[in-house]
Amino acid sequence: MAVVGPPRAARGLAFLCFLVSCAALAGASRPSREDLDVSLGGGVGIGIGIGGGGGGGQGGSSSSPAPSPSGPRPCDFENERLYRAYLVIQQFRQTVSCDPMDITRSWSGTDLCSSYKGFFCERPPNVTDRTIASVDFNGYMLRSDSLRDFVDSLPDLALFHANSNDFGGAVPALGGLQYFYELDLSNNRLAPAPFPSDVLGLTNATFIDIRFNSFYGELPAGVFCRFPRIQAIFVNNNQFSGSLPDNIGQSPVNYLSLANNRFTGEIPKSIARNAGTLLEVLFLNNSLSGCLPYELGLLEKATVIDAGTNRLTGTIPASFACLRKVEQLNLADNLLYGEVPDALCRLAFGRLKNLTLSGNYFTSLGSCCWDLIKEGRLNVDRNCIQWAPSQRSHEECAKFLRQPKSCPVSDYVPCRPKYRGSGEPAGAAAEEEDAAAVEYRYRTYSALHP
């Protein structure tokens, strides 16, 4: 999997706006929140299924913007909630300094629920009045120096999606939004800062996406214990560093992308506790070290495991033979050695489509692995395997193999061996899924694009 470089969307947008003075442009196609296809709550504007109680107007900012003497009156709106939302939107509209798709032109009049682009209405739980429940600005390329006094001033908001805009400043204080459960601030120019602590207060959150920004520092342990309903966490393409929290296994997350940061240390062994929930995980392109953990092989539901381009070492644990649902397994560009287990290559008789082990120091292959090389489903380039193509030099291999090795060799297989039936052709399951695959087949890999 190719490593995606640092985001350029914000700089390009600024230059575009300078050249054309914010003239109308056709929107570029980017993988939006919907393209990631994580079905959380049924999509934008479809019901608010969390929270409780009536008066949804107690969260957010304590005071509303002052009404304009020449603007619409409260009685012109469907209800007071929408009138207050109108005041907030008009105030935010004044801060938008670039709008190349002319989105804000629609933000006028009293019909917020039908004519305002990017705004969607629903009724909060146990409330009869409609209100602004979700905001979807994905791909709008709007520029504003701050989201404060906007997102946090819509007290009934449940979703805010703003992928690929040019929003700056700090993440708004969202703790007062009692219904809030989806946040997408990806691919913006938010001010460099540690992980926004206020986000940890969103205990109803199911989707947290802050990728392609400039967040830095350690990832707080709360990311993996404060969200009991979380399904997706995307923090890739930032500047996070330090060790991964030891409690990573406490999270019920299904899709986790930690790729393209500066994480160091070991992959926490507690990840074994994610065995019943984790479907895709990306550790790609960090500086993780230590022995390749046996516990990764216990992720029985995982379809994607990518730990490529790190400094992991050791042999491949026998537990990896139990990854029967894995389709993409990437361990390339590490410091792994020993034999590529035959039991691992046998996973290609099931769902495994791609096994990437290039750029390591493996010295031998199981018998089934040779067939996968011929089929193009196993890449072992730049290793130390005799008779395999495109290997390292003898001198390079000898230098590495002389170094002391401290990782234990794990031969215990925690699952019953399963072999291909006599009538089932090799790779049949994989070929069938390939025919039905769509462009963005995997949610975490989709998240590697702005």
PDB file of all heavy atoms in Angstrom, residues 407-427:
ATOM      1  N   CYS A 407      13.740 -11.817  20.099  1.00  0.00           N
ATOM      2  CA  CYS A 407      12.302 -12.108  20.078  1.00  0.00           C
ATOM      3  C   CYS A 407      12.060 -13.604  20.230  1.00  0.00           C
ATOM      4  O   CYS A 407      12.719 -14.415  19.575  1.00  0.00           O
ATOM      5  CB  CYS A 407      11.677 -11.607  18.783  1.00  0.00           C
ATOM      6  SG  CYS A 407      11.635  -9.809  18.645  1.00  0.00           S
ATOM      7  N   PRO A 408      11.097 -13.997  21.071  1.00  0.00           N
ATOM      8  CA  PRO A 408      10.780 -15.423  21.217  1.00  0.00           C
ATOM      9  C   PRO A 408      10.115 -15.962  19.960  1.00  0.00           C
ATOM     10  O   PRO A 408       9.458 -15.217  19.209  1.00  0.00           O
ATOM     11  CB  PRO A 408       9.819 -15.452  22.400  1.00  0.00           C
ATOM     12  CG  PRO A 408       9.173 -14.094  22.397  1.00  0.00           C
ATOM     13  CD  PRO A 408      10.242 -13.142  21.921  1.00  0.00           C
ATOM     14  N   VAL A 409      10.286 -17.245  19.720  1.00  0.00           N
ATOM     15  CA  VAL A 409       9.632 -17.914  18.597  1.00  0.00           C
ATOM     16  C   VAL A 409       8.371 -18.590  19.121  1.00  0.00           C
ATOM     17  O   VAL A 409       8.431 -19.430  20.014  1.00  0.00           O
ATOM     18  CB  VAL A 409      10.559 -18.957  17.938  1.00  0.00           C
ATOM     19  CG1 VAL A 409       9.815 -19.689  16.823  1.00  0.00           C
ATOM     20  CG2 VAL A 409      11.808 -18.270  17.398  1.00  0.00           C
ATOM     21  N   SER A 410       7.226 -18.167  18.589  1.00  0.00           N
ATOM     22  CA  SER A 410       5.943 -18.704  19.059  1.00  0.00           C
ATOM     23  C   SER A 410       5.401 -19.711  18.056  1.00  0.00           C
ATOM     24  O   SER A 410       5.060 -19.363  16.929  1.00  0.00           O
ATOM     25  CB  SER A 410       4.933 -17.561  19.256  1.00  0.00           C
ATOM     26  OG  SER A 410       3.668 -18.067  19.586  1.00  0.00           O
ATOM     27  N   ASP A 411       5.349 -20.992  18.485  1.00  0.00           N
ATOM     28  CA  ASP A 411       4.855 -22.059  17.616  1.00  0.00           C
ATOM     29  C   ASP A 411       3.436 -22.484  17.956  1.00  0.00           C
ATOM     30  O   ASP A 411       2.871 -23.359  17.293  1.00  0.00           O
ATOM     31  CB  ASP A 411       5.780 -23.283  17.719  1.00  0.00           C
ATOM     32  CG  ASP A 411       7.161 -23.003  17.148  1.00  0.00           C
ATOM     33  OD1 ASP A 411       7.240 -22.235  16.170  1.00  0.00           O
ATOM     34  OD2 ASP A 411       8.152 -23.521  17.694  1.00  0.00           O
ATOM     35  N   TYR A 412       2.833 -21.883  18.975  1.00  0.00           N
ATOM     36  CA  TYR A 412       1.503 -22.308  19.402  1.00  0.00           C
ATOM     37  C   TYR A 412       0.438 -21.726  18.475  1.00  0.00           C
ATOM     38  O   TYR A 412       0.371 -20.521  18.244  1.00  0.00           O
ATOM     39  CB  TYR A 412       1.226 -21.870  20.835  1.00  0.00           C
ATOM     40  CG  TYR A 412      -0.183 -22.180  21.297  1.00  0.00           C
ATOM     41  CD1 TYR A 412      -0.627 -23.501  21.406  1.00  0.00           C
ATOM     42  CD2 TYR A 412      -1.076 -21.152  21.598  1.00  0.00           C
ATOM     43  CE1 TYR A 412      -1.920 -23.781  21.815  1.00  0.00           C
ATOM     44  CE2 TYR A 412      -2.364 -21.424  22.009  1.00  0.00           C
ATOM     45  CZ  TYR A 412      -2.785 -22.740  22.117  1.00  0.00           C
ATOM     46  OH  TYR A 412      -4.061 -23.022  22.508  1.00  0.00           O
ATOM     47  N   VAL A 413      -0.404 -22.605  17.934  1.00  0.00           N
ATOM     48  CA  VAL A 413      -1.501 -22.184  17.056  1.00  0.00           C
ATOM     49  C   VAL A 413      -2.796 -22.248  17.862  1.00  0.00           C
ATOM     50  O   VAL A 413      -3.246 -23.338  18.231  1.00  0.00           O
ATOM     51  CB  VAL A 413      -1.606 -23.090  15.814  1.00  0.00           C
ATOM     52  CG1 VAL A 413      -2.741 -22.607  14.911  1.00  0.00           C
ATOM     53  CG2 VAL A 413      -0.291 -23.096  15.056  1.00  0.00           C
ATOM     54  N   PRO A 414      -3.412 -21.102  18.161  1.00  0.00           N
ATOM     55  CA  PRO A 414      -4.582 -21.088  19.043  1.00  0.00           C
ATOM     56  C   PRO A 414      -5.908 -21.410  18.357  1.00  0.00           C
ATOM     57  O   PRO A 414      -6.971 -21.078  18.876  1.00  0.00           O
ATOM     58  CB  PRO A 414      -4.583 -19.658  19.566  1.00  0.00           C
ATOM     59  CG  PRO A 414      -4.017 -18.859  18.455  1.00  0.00           C
ATOM     60  CD  PRO A 414      -2.990 -19.737  17.803  1.00  0.00           C
ATOM     61  N   CYS A 415      -5.853 -22.009  17.187  1.00  0.00           N
ATOM     62  CA  CYS A 415      -7.079 -22.383  16.486  1.00  0.00           C
ATOM     63  C   CYS A 415      -6.856 -23.724  15.804  1.00  0.00           C
ATOM     64  O   CYS A 415      -5.718 -24.153  15.607  1.00  0.00           O
ATOM     65  CB  CYS A 415      -7.472 -21.322  15.457  1.00  0.00           C
ATOM     66  SG  CYS A 415      -6.227 -21.053  14.168  1.00  0.00           S
ATOM     67  N   ARG A 416      -7.933 -24.377  15.447  1.00  0.00           N
ATOM     68  CA  ARG A 416      -7.842 -25.673  14.782  1.00  0.00           C
ATOM     69  C   ARG A 416      -7.462 -25.462  13.318  1.00  0.00           C
ATOM     70  O   ARG A 416      -8.057 -24.639  12.633  1.00  0.00           O
ATOM     71  CB  ARG A 416      -9.160 -26.416  14.875  1.00  0.00           C
ATOM     72  CG  ARG A 416      -9.173 -27.786  14.201  1.00  0.00           C
ATOM     73  CD  ARG A 416     -10.505 -28.487  14.398  1.00  0.00           C
ATOM     74  NE  ARG A 416     -10.759 -28.750  15.807  1.00  0.00           N
ATOM     75  CZ  ARG A 416     -11.860 -29.352  16.250  1.00  0.00           C
ATOM     76  NH1 ARG A 416     -12.796 -29.715  15.384  1.00  0.00           N
ATOM     77  NH2 ARG A 416     -12.024 -29.558  17.535  1.00  0.00           N
ATOM     78  N   PRO A 417      -6.469 -26.198  12.825  1.00  0.00           N
ATOM     79  CA  PRO A 417      -6.087 -26.055  11.406  1.00  0.00           C
ATOM     80  C   PRO A 417      -7.266 -26.327  10.493  1.00  0.00           C
ATOM     81  O   PRO A 417      -8.089 -27.199  10.740  1.00  0.00           O
ATOM     82  CB  PRO A 417      -4.984 -27.090  11.227  1.00  0.00           C
ATOM     83  CG  PRO A 417      -4.470 -27.341  12.593  1.00  0.00           C
ATOM     84  CD  PRO A 417      -5.639 -27.185  13.526  1.00  0.00           C
ATOM     85  N   LYS A 418      -7.341 -25.559   9.425  1.00  0.00           N
ATOM     86  CA  LYS A 418      -8.411 -25.727   8.445  1.00  0.00           C
ATOM     87  C   LYS A 418      -7.788 -25.746   7.068  1.00  0.00           C
ATOM     88  O   LYS A 418      -7.094 -24.809   6.685  1.00  0.00           O
ATOM     89  CB  LYS A 418      -9.427 -24.583   8.544  1.00  0.00           C
ATOM     90  CG  LYS A 418     -10.619 -24.739   7.602  1.00  0.00           C
ATOM     91  CD  LYS A 418     -11.608 -23.598   7.822  1.00  0.00           C
ATOM     92  CE  LYS A 418     -12.816 -23.718   6.920  1.00  0.00           C
ATOM     93  NZ  LYS A 418     -13.768 -22.616   7.108  1.00  0.00           N
ATOM     94  N   TYR A 419      -8.036 -26.800   6.343  1.00  0.00           N
ATOM     95  CA  TYR A 419      -7.415 -26.936   5.033  1.00  0.00           C
ATOM     96  C   TYR A 419      -8.472 -26.889   3.943  1.00  0.00           C
ATOM     97  O   TYR A 419      -9.649 -27.176   4.174  1.00  0.00           O
ATOM     98  CB  TYR A 419      -6.628 -28.250   4.948  1.00  0.00           C
ATOM     99  CG  TYR A 419      -5.493 -28.292   5.927  1.00  0.00           C
ATOM    100  CD1 TYR A 419      -5.605 -28.967   7.129  1.00  0.00           C
ATOM    101  CD2 TYR A 419      -4.306 -27.607   5.651  1.00  0.00           C
ATOM    102  CE1 TYR A 419      -4.568 -28.978   8.043  1.00  0.00           C
ATOM    103  CE2 TYR A 419      -3.262 -27.618   6.551  1.00  0.00           C
ATOM    104  CZ  TYR A 419      -3.396 -28.314   7.752  1.00  0.00           C
ATOM    105  OH  TYR A 419      -2.364 -28.312   8.650  1.00  0.00           O
ATOM    106  N   ARG A 420      -8.032 -26.592   2.762  1.00  0.00           N
ATOM    107  CA  ARG A 420      -8.920 -26.480   1.603  1.00  0.00           C
ATOM    108  C   ARG A 420      -9.541 -27.823   1.280  1.00  0.00           C
ATOM    109  O   ARG A 420      -8.885 -28.861   1.292  1.00  0.00           O
ATOM    110  CB  ARG A 420      -8.106 -25.967   0.409  1.00  0.00           C
ATOM    111  CG  ARG A 420      -8.830 -25.996  -0.908  1.00  0.00           C
ATOM    112  CD  ARG A 420      -8.024 -25.275  -1.972  1.00  0.00           C
ATOM    113  NE  ARG A 420      -6.641 -25.676  -1.993  1.00  0.00           N
ATOM    114  CZ  ARG A 420      -6.135 -26.441  -2.950  1.00  0.00           C
ATOM    115  NH1 ARG A 420      -6.914 -26.889  -3.921  1.00  0.00           N
ATOM    116  NH2 ARG A 420      -4.865 -26.741  -2.943  1.00  0.00           N
ATOM    117  N   GLY A 421     -10.838 -27.795   1.029  1.00  0.00           N
ATOM    118  CA  GLY A 421     -11.518 -29.007   0.614  1.00  0.00           C
ATOM    119  C   GLY A 421     -11.018 -29.490  -0.737  1.00  0.00           C
ATOM    120  O   GLY A 421     -10.538 -28.718  -1.565  1.00  0.00           O
ATOM    121  N   SER A 422     -11.140 -30.791  -0.997  1.00  0.00           N
ATOM    122  CA  SER A 422     -10.575 -31.377  -2.202  1.00  0.00           C
ATOM    123  C   SER A 422     -11.207 -30.835  -3.465  1.00  0.00           C
ATOM    124  O   SER A 422     -10.586 -30.802  -4.520  1.00  0.00           O
ATOM    125  CB  SER A 422     -10.736 -32.904  -2.148  1.00  0.00           C
ATOM    126  OG  SER A 422     -12.108 -33.243  -2.006  1.00  0.00           O
ATOM    127  N   GLY A 423     -12.460 -30.359  -3.353  1.00  0.00           N
ATOM    128  CA  GLY A 423     -13.117 -29.874  -4.555  1.00  0.00           C
ATOM    129  C   GLY A 423     -13.068 -28.370  -4.737  1.00  0.00           C
ATOM    130  O   GLY A 423     -13.637 -27.843  -5.679  1.00  0.00           O
ATOM    131  N   GLU A 424     -12.406 -27.685  -3.826  1.00  0.00           N
ATOM    132  CA  GLU A 424     -12.382 -26.226  -3.878  1.00  0.00           C
ATOM    133  C   GLU A 424     -11.084 -25.728  -4.493  1.00  0.00           C
ATOM    134  O   GLU A 424     -10.009 -26.009  -3.995  1.00  0.00           O
ATOM    135  CB  GLU A 424     -12.508 -25.662  -2.462  1.00  0.00           C
ATOM    136  CG  GLU A 424     -12.484 -24.147  -2.418  1.00  0.00           C
ATOM    137  CD  GLU A 424     -12.484 -23.642  -0.997  1.00  0.00           C
ATOM    138  OE1 GLU A 424     -12.633 -24.442  -0.075  1.00  0.00           O
ATOM    139  OE2 GLU A 424     -12.302 -22.416  -0.820  1.00  0.00           O
ATOM    140  N   PRO A 425     -11.139 -25.035  -5.599  1.00  0.00           N
ATOM    141  CA  PRO A 425      -9.909 -24.543  -6.218  1.00  0.00           C
ATOM    142  C   PRO A 425      -9.270 -23.452  -5.378  1.00  0.00           C
ATOM    143  O   PRO A 425      -9.935 -22.693  -4.703  1.00  0.00           O
ATOM    144  CB  PRO A 425     -10.399 -23.976  -7.569  1.00  0.00           C
ATOM    145  CG  PRO A 425     -11.830 -23.627  -7.333  1.00  0.00           C
ATOM    146  CD  PRO A 425     -12.349 -24.635  -6.350  1.00  0.00           C
ATOM    147  N   ALA A 426      -7.953 -23.386  -5.428  1.00  0.00           N
ATOM    148  CA  ALA A 426      -7.220 -22.390  -4.659  1.00  0.00           C
ATOM    149  C   ALA A 426      -7.637 -20.992  -5.080  1.00  0.00           C
ATOM    150  O   ALA A 426      -7.732 -20.673  -6.254  1.00  0.00           O
ATOM    151  CB  ALA A 426      -5.715 -22.559  -4.875  1.00  0.00           C
ATOM    152  N   GLY A 427      -7.902 -20.147  -4.076  1.00  0.00           N
ATOM    153  CA  GLY A 427      -8.208 -18.749  -4.351  1.00  0.00           C
ATOM    154  C   GLY A 427      -9.609 -18.502  -4.861  1.00  0.00           C
ATOM    155  O   GLY A 427      -9.913 -17.407  -5.295  1.00  0.00           O
TER     156      GLY A 427
END
